[in-house]
Amino acid sequence: DQQVKQNSPSLSVQEGRISILNCDYTNSMFDYFLWYKKYPAEGPTFLISISSIKDKNEDGRFTVFLNKSAKHLSLHIVPSQPGDSAVYFCAASAETNAGKSTFGDGTTLTVKP
Amino acid sequence: NAGVTQTPKFQVLKTGQSMTLQCAQDMNHNSMYWYRQDPGMGLRLIYYSASEGTTDKGEVPNGYNVSRLNKREFSLRLESAAPSQTSVYFCASSELAEETQYFGPGTRLLVL
């Protein structure tokens, strides 16, 4: 039973447009959510996070929205740039189980010039 | 400041062979982790160490052992490698268990 799901394996957008990556979770104990970005042959790097006490967090071009009732979060990238082309992983953890992050399978974003 | 380093970068093993994957971090982090990533899938936690002297099982611990040698180093051992352990292995660290993790570049392991 996959507790964190990224239902879109891939997404293609035009440079300058908005990219929206989605993530759903099933475990109501999850209270901290992160997005990581991964380039080929490299390890993932942290992008942005949000705790369950918030419904939005912004960092420059990146915004994460959390809808706790729907158990859904999304990452918005505005404007999208070709350098944003990478695999994006959603991850979730529970304070009661700190250290045990559960990752989604990732969404490959391609930003076309 | 190298961050998280992993050795080796690539390894080929025969079924039944053993090997140890090494990981070190220079950020004075308390927590360290080992993940595996199979093609088309996310990262799955094998083992983690919330602090020096402690280790705990993750989602997929079978066939692996770990050692938290000191605060800097966290090794992953395959005692008898199987083809199902062919994967990319990532080590990560974080200041505390609930915080953002910093990943190494990965070790690609092929078991024939």
Side-chain angles (χ1 to χ4, degrees):
Chain A
D1 177 33
Q2 201 166 9
Q3 297 187 64
V4 177
K5 292 183 182 179
Q6 294 176 255
N7 290 318
S8 297
S10 62
L11 175 67
S12 182
V13 300
Q14 209 65 34
E15 181 178 6
R17 299 289 186 102
I18 184 171
S19 296
I20 300 177
L21 294 88
N22 294 303
C23 179
D24 297 295
Y25 62 97
T26 57
N27 188 340
S28 58
M29 297 299 291
F30 288 150
D31 55 13
Y32 190 58
F33 305 89
L34 308 96
W35 285 94
Y36 288 87
K37 176 179 177 179
K38 184 183 180 305
Y39 292 117
E42 293 184 11
T45 56
F46 169 74
L47 193 56
I48 192 169
S49 63
I50 189 167
S51 75
S52 59
I53 61 172
K54 293 186 173 182
D55 55 17
K56 178 182 174 182
N57 189 27
E58 286 182 85
D59 184 2
R61 296 186 296 114
F62 303 93
T63 303
V64 56
F65 295 92
L66 175 62
N67 182 333
K68 290 185 289 292
S69 60
K71 294 190 177 68
H72 176 84
L73 62 156
S74 60
L75 174 68
H76 293 211
I77 306 174
V78 183
S80 301
Q81 299 173 354
D84 295 331
S85 297
V87 179
Y88 289 79
F89 291 102
C90 169
S93 65
E95 185 180 1
T96 53
N97 223 357
K100 289 191 174 181
S101 290
T102 301
F103 283 74
D105 288 343
T107 295
T108 300
L109 173 65
T110 303
V111 181
K112 297 179 179 178
Chain B
N1 200 355
V4 179
T5 56
Q6 293 183 235
T7 55
K9 286 186 169 51
F10 181 71
Q11 183 73 46
V12 179
L13 291 178
K14 293 181 180 178
T15 297
Q17 286 185 317
S18 62
M19 79 161 296
T20 300
L21 282 66
Q22 306 287 354
C23 174
Q25 52 91 8
D26 62 3
M27 297 174 281
N28 201 36
H29 284 170
N30 290 295
S31 303
M32 297 186 73
Y33 314 81
W34 276 106
Y35 292 89
R36 61 177 287 174
Q37 186 191 13
D38 299 323
M41 296 182 68
L43 284 77
R44 291 185 293 169
L45 184 65
I46 304 171
Y47 271 93
Y48 72 102
S49 170
S51 60
E52 187 179 356
T54 69
T55 60
D56 203 352
K57 294 179 181 179
E59 184 185 352
V60 288
N62 291 343
Y64 306 94
N65 285 300
V66 290
S67 295
R68 182 75 184 266
L69 304 169
N70 48 55
K71 193 171 185 180
R72 287 189 65 245
E73 298 171 289
F74 190 38
S75 63
L76 178 72
R77 183 159 179 84
L78 288 71
E79 290 291 351
S80 179
S84 61
Q85 293 178 304
T86 293
S87 190
V88 181
Y89 291 84
F90 290 101
C91 177
S93 71
S94 63
E95 190 162 347
L96 295 172
E98 63 272 18
E99 296 187 353
T100 303
Q101 297 178 21
Y102 295 82
F103 286 82
T107 293
R108 293 181 178 275
L109 177 65
L110 175 62
V111 183
L112 301 174

